[in-house]
């Protein structure tokens, strides 16, 4: 998580992950507008699970395989 501080007085306003945030500092009254420098996909662990469930699955039984001649 990233620490969010007032750009005018430096007071800690909070911490978290954000893409766009506008917050007024209670100490000095400055309006702070923050934007993420790069956006990350939401819940990357969920996206990887969804991909796994949508991929075609093939089941190969080892019992049906034959040993190579020789």
């Amino acid at each position: 998580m990233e620490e969010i501080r007032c750009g005018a007085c430096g007071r800690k306003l909070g911490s978290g992950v954000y893409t766009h945030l506008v917050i007024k500092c209670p100490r000095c009254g400055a309006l702070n507008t923050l934007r993420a420098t790069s956006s990350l996909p939401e819940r990357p662990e969920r996206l990887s699970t969804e991909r796994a469930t949508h991929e075609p699955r093939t089941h190969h039984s080892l019992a049906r395989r034959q040993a190579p001649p020789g």
Side-chain angles (χ1 to χ4, degrees):
M1 280 209 241
E2 188 176 337
E3 204 171 75
I4 302 165
R5 294 196 171 267
C6 177
C9 69
R11 178 179 179 172
K12 183 177 177 181
L13 301 174
S15 61
V17 179
Y18 60 90
T19 55
H20 181 86
L21 178 68
V22 178
I23 188 167
K24 185 176 179 181
C25 178
R27 178 189 288 164
C28 69
L31 193 61
N32 295 273
T33 304
L34 307 161
R35 292 182 190 261
T37 54
S38 66
S39 84
L40 299 173
E42 287 188 25
R43 298 183 63 181
E45 69 280 356
R46 182 175 175 194
L47 294 175
S48 64
T49 319
E50 286 176 0
R51 272 190 229 124
T53 58
H54 294 304
E55 291 177 1
R57 294 182 183 175
T58 56
H59 298 284
H60 298 286
S61 172
L62 295 177
R64 294 188 300 170
R65 292 190 181 190
Q66 296 179 357

